[in-house]
Amino acid sequence: MFIFLKKIFYFFYREFKVNISGFHDILTNITFFFISIFIFIFSIGPQDKILSVMGVSILWTLLLLSSTLSLTKFYRDDFDTGNLIILHLNGFSFEFIAILKTISHFIYVQVPFIISIPIACVLINIPMEKVYSLLISFAIGSFILSCLGSISSSMNLLNKRNYLLGSVIVMILSIPVIIFSVGIINTEENFISLINVLFGILLIIFAINPWATGACLKIALQNN
Amino acid sequence: MFIFLKKIFYFFYREFKVNISGFHDILTNITFFFISIFIFIFSIGPQDKILSVMGVSILWTLLLLSSTLSLTKFYRDDFDTGNLIILHLNGFSFEFIAILKTISHFIYVQVPFIISIPIACVLINIPMEKVYSLLISFAIGSFILSCLGSISSSMNLLNKRNYLLGSVIVMILSIPVIIFSVGIINTEENFISLINVLFGILLIIFAINPWATGACLKIALQNN
Amino acid sequence: MLLTKNISLFRADKIIFENINLSIGSGKILGLKGKNGSGKTSLIKTILCILEPTSGSIFWKGKNIEKNLYDFYNNVTYIADKTSSLKQLTINENIKIWKNIFLSKINNDQIEKILQTLKLDSYKNKKTNILSLGETKKLELLRLIIENKKIWILDEPFTNLDSEAIDVIKQTFEDHCKKEGSIIFSSHQNVQINTTEDLLL
Amino acid sequence: MLLTKNISLFRADKIIFENINLSIGSGKILGLKGKNGSGKTSLIKTILCILEPTSGSIFWKGKNIEKNLYDFYNNVTYIADKTSSLKQLTINENIKIWKNIFLSKINNDQIEKILQTLKLDSYKNKKTNILSLGETKKLELLRLIIENKKIWILDEPFTNLDSEAIDVIKQTFEDHCKKEGSIIFSSHQNVQINTTEDLLL
Amino acid sequence: MKFLLNPNSFQNITNLLFKPILIVSLVLLILGLIFSFYLSPNDYQQGSTVRIMYIHVPSAWMSLMTYMIMVIYSIVALAFRIPFGFIINTAVAPIGAVFTLICIITGSLWGKPMWGTWWVWDARLTSVAILFIIYLIIIFINNSFENRAVREKIVAIFILIGSVNLPIIKFSVDWWNTLHQPASISKLSKPNIDPSMMTPLIIMTLALMLVGISIAILRINTEITNRKNSL
Ligand code: HEM
Ligand SMILES: Nc1ncnc2c1ncn2[C@@H]1O[C@H](COP(=O)(O)OP(=O)(O)OP(=O)(O)O)[C@@H](O)[C@H]1O
Ligand SMILES: Nc1ncnc2c1ncn2[C@@H]1O[C@H](COP(=O)(O)OP(=O)(O)OP(=O)(O)O)[C@@H](O)[C@H]1O
Ligand SMILES: [Mg+2]
Ligand SMILES: [Mg+2]
């Protein structure tokens, strides 16, 4: 049992080393995020009203867009270098790899965002009461996005060139999630029960993810 | 002379084959663009007025997104496979490669966007008078982004210590450019002279780009 | 222990290999020889259950391999024909990650000694992307020792290696055989390895 | 024609090679031999002016090579130790791009014939990512013929090739020598190539 | 009805039927166009722009029908492992996309004089736009995935997921009050539309349907032969 935990821990350590020494990517994502916010502020002008009304929606959209930025790297590197097979032969089933990768994507790509949200909220005048609920719905929503991203980027291994197709599929699937999550924050009542619904969606997708991803990885390795 | 043109033509042909091996891939890129617009609209809500205020910034954000998305592919693949050296040995100096790559990035990544802007403008209720100025500033701005992208992704090939600084500089550089271009569209007067300024920036960056990129490529090859 | 019965593989409707019967017991070295494109890599991947054989079946310890795949995987180390070390990390970091992910019990002194015989010790704290091709391959072969499994399956283990390194590998192979291990490797070179059996594809 | 005078290279303060004097005239084959990590690849890259020598200088047709670099490049084909064919494209598309970017005058029949001797003709319209390692390497070597330059510089041209393909390459080398071409190649294997000169690094 | 599930008998039957269908569809199309542009009256409110309706409404219906067909065949293919369903999906998706595009274009041409704008973000229009994008994605998947077996499954699953959109399109006018016309023809009991407008509408619907079917037959047959060749 302890051995097993150690294994998992070092999987995350590995992802950390790989992703963070690609610190550049994280930086790119966050810079993209902030530049886009600046764009909005500058083009709308300092009319605080529109900004603070629209702020939540803008943040959500930017979250979605910037998580698609990191999708290309999700499985591709490990697939090309043959590390996927080696991990598989060493007791990580494809499904398990999918779960671990999703979680580490969440940790290394989405969490930096979530951390930078309070700053972003200050920039676009979102009232502080909302920040709390924003953070919760963001945490859940971004995990959903990680799962969807895992599925679609494993699909992308099956097609050799079209790197945007995966993102297109993710985005169309995440439309309901977006509508719902933006809706949540703007309704005053029933916040808890709505969050529960979002959490339910998360659970469903989190359950589907390993199977879908695992199947895609397996077939991708066969074709290679 | 004719031979020279043929060589250049086949360079573009090669980039085309590598980046998008067909019409469908261009269509995917355009679809990606439209879905992103949809997502913005879903989260912002369909109020016409707000939309047309935010329209320009939405478009700019998406332009920025699309050019960041494709940055990883800019030089990395050719660098890893050794094609960069081979091209270099066959009469493409690094500076020339930089110019050609920048242009082909512009053509294959940015132009499809620019073409679909008029339709996008219909969708987000940007008044038709503005479309014209939007197109011009977009064309110039996206070329600037291509140049900056070329520089920053060639810096990515360098050692870790050097590149972080480099790409931060590039990103910081791109902020004023974008803000400036966004600003242009919202000012009624002086449009021509502002565009001229933007064009000036383009010329400067276009002139710097080959040298900066060429130097980075050269050093990167030495370190490898 | 490992047995293939009449396996054949078709890829894109081309016959890659047909009716291969292999059996590997402990203490044996099996060499897969063949020209380029004769299907050595494909056969190895089929044995590892990464590719599914079009017909025929593979047995592990008497049972169909699909039924106790993870038991099989627990006993096998695979060295592919490409190198898997992470280019962003140093040799030491790579080894550390391998050791922990493969739950290896090997201690640091042993690794130190092997690195010395392979002449890699001066690069321990260098990123692996500066290594020469042969050095990268040697690092990859280190996985054999770190994983410390019974069956070694190697795809072209000798490419890029100089004769000294090949001698070290030969020695390692022999030691492994003495410890009741078994080895499958593919090669198109005529390396003087004392195989107990050869298969010409 | 190509002459190096006392070139040495230091990388990260390590001496890779020192005081190398080479000269390559037409009709000559120069073999660079050496162990892993002895600096063969580095030497080749230095000759190609991709790396700058720490000291010493290289001459091309009597002039310092930096001064007429592009004339030198016009006469040289470099086969690196990795393969450069584009994985997304088919063999035919790759050849088409090479032909046009290298402004090659070779005609299709010739290529057809070479593909047949190399046994690649049945994959002409397949993506190159399905090729086996040896097949990819053969495709890469095709560049020698397509570029059709005087000096060939090859880094480990024989890895992954079977003995048949090596024979074809040998033959090609000899033909090239007869046509007053010159060849530099590196290898750690003891391939029986009739080199006119050897350099042990 | 076996020919709806079996490629061989499908080919046999459509070889017989193709020409008649094609001829009838062309005749109907010409007839319908004549009816809708010369023989039908102007609307007292909308003037002659009402004639757009005779293209808009049939193509809207066709786009929905095509998707329905794909949904049914996806279920059939996935649940009963009948590969003919995959063939249909691949062949029919571009046709649906074209009908949707026609619907959107005619709709916005109509919208400019009627609502004063080309496009509004109401539920009906938005959901139709999504339908169009779903069609496009299906086409992209079909074109860029290399492994056929996987690609077919992904497409079928995607079609099923996307079918959530159909009821939204259909009932959006009832559920949310929007600018768009609520259903006036499909009310079963008593269609509240003038017979002089009804005739061309019906003829055009039949014509477009038959045109769609004949293109579909062509595409399905080429798809079948393609697959036979690749085996
Ligand atoms: C781009 C914009 C438009 C889109 C995407 C669109 C879409 C559709 C669709 C999908 C249907 C079929 C609905 C069903 O079967 O119940 C439909 C029907 C119809 N549309 Fe549109 N439409 C658009 C614009 C317009 C405009 C501007 C008008 C006229 C003012 C209009 C009038 C109608 C009418 C009269 C029907 C028939 C409704 C019925 O009787 O069932 N549409 N449209
Ligand atoms: N996915 C695939 N689809 C179709 N054919 C394939 C595929 N992968 C490999 N092949 C073909 O199968 C044959 C065997 O390939 P394999 O890699 O097993 O050869 P090999 O014996 O390892 O050769 P080498 O010595 O060059 O490594 C080759 O001709 C190759 O082109
Ligand atoms: N950028 C670098 N910085 C420091 N040392 C380097 C760098 N690149 C290579 N080296 C070292 O230089 C030495 C020579 O490398 P080189 O690739 O030239 O060897 P080689 O003779 O080609 O070996 P092989 O036969 O394995 O290909 C190696 O020990 C390598 O680790
Ligand atoms: Mg092989
Ligand atoms: Mg070397």
Side-chain angles (χ1 to χ4, degrees), chain B residues 222-224, chain C residues 123 126 130-135 160, chain D residues 11-12 14 16 34-43 81 155-156 188:
Chain B
Q222 280 179 7
N223 287 344
N224 195 249
Chain C
Y123 302 107
K126 296 265 165 73
I130 70 154
L131 294 184
S132 82
L133 281 187
E135 289 160 348
N160 291 321
Chain D
R11 288 182 109 167
K14 210 194 119 203
I16 308 288
K35 290 184 210 159
N36 291 142
S38 59
K40 301 179 293 296
T41 305
S42 305
L43 178 55
D81 48 7
D155 201 353
E156 321 247 344
H188 41 65

Side-chain angles (χ1 to χ4, degrees), chain A residues 61-108:
Chain A
T61 321
L62 293 180
L63 173 76
L64 175 62
L65 295 185
S66 39
S67 58
T68 58
L69 270 177
S70 53
L71 281 192
T72 33
K73 284 221 160 191
F74 215 108
Y75 292 108
R76 175 62 71 186
D77 286 353
D78 278 340
F79 181 76
D80 284 343
T81 56
N83 270 300
L84 215 50
I85 296 183
I86 292 171
L87 287 174
H88 181 52
L89 293 183
N90 276 287
F92 293 90
S93 67
F94 291 129
E95 289 78 17
F96 193 43
I97 293 179
I99 296 176
L100 292 180
K101 279 259 181 187
T102 311
I103 294 176
S104 67
H105 182 259
F106 176 70
I107 295 177
Y108 300 127

Side-chain angles (χ1 to χ4, degrees), chain D residues 7-24:
Chain D
I7 51 170
S8 336
L9 183 73
F10 291 44
R11 288 182 109 167
D13 300 325
K14 210 194 119 203
I15 304 172
I16 308 288
F17 55 78
E18 241 179 338
N19 293 331
I20 301 278
N21 290 299
L22 288 177
S23 79
I24 299 157

Side-chain angles (χ1 to χ4, degrees), chain A residues 166-177:
Chain A
S167 316
V168 170
I169 295 175
V170 173
M171 288 175 101
I172 198 126
L173 291 181
S174 57
I175 288 180
V177 179

Side-chain angles (χ1 to χ4, degrees), chain A residues 51-62:
Chain A
L51 255 187
S52 57
V53 172
M54 296 289 96
V56 176
S57 344
I58 293 176
L59 284 186
W60 258 102
T61 321
L62 293 180

Side-chain angles (χ1 to χ4, degrees), chain B residues 77-103:
Chain B
D77 285 354
D78 279 340
F79 182 76
D80 285 343
T81 56
N83 269 299
L84 216 51
I85 296 183
I86 291 172
L87 287 173
H88 181 52
L89 293 184
N90 277 285
F92 293 90
S93 68
F94 292 129
E95 290 78 16
F96 193 44
I97 292 179
I99 297 176
L100 292 181
K101 279 258 179 186
T102 311
I103 295 177

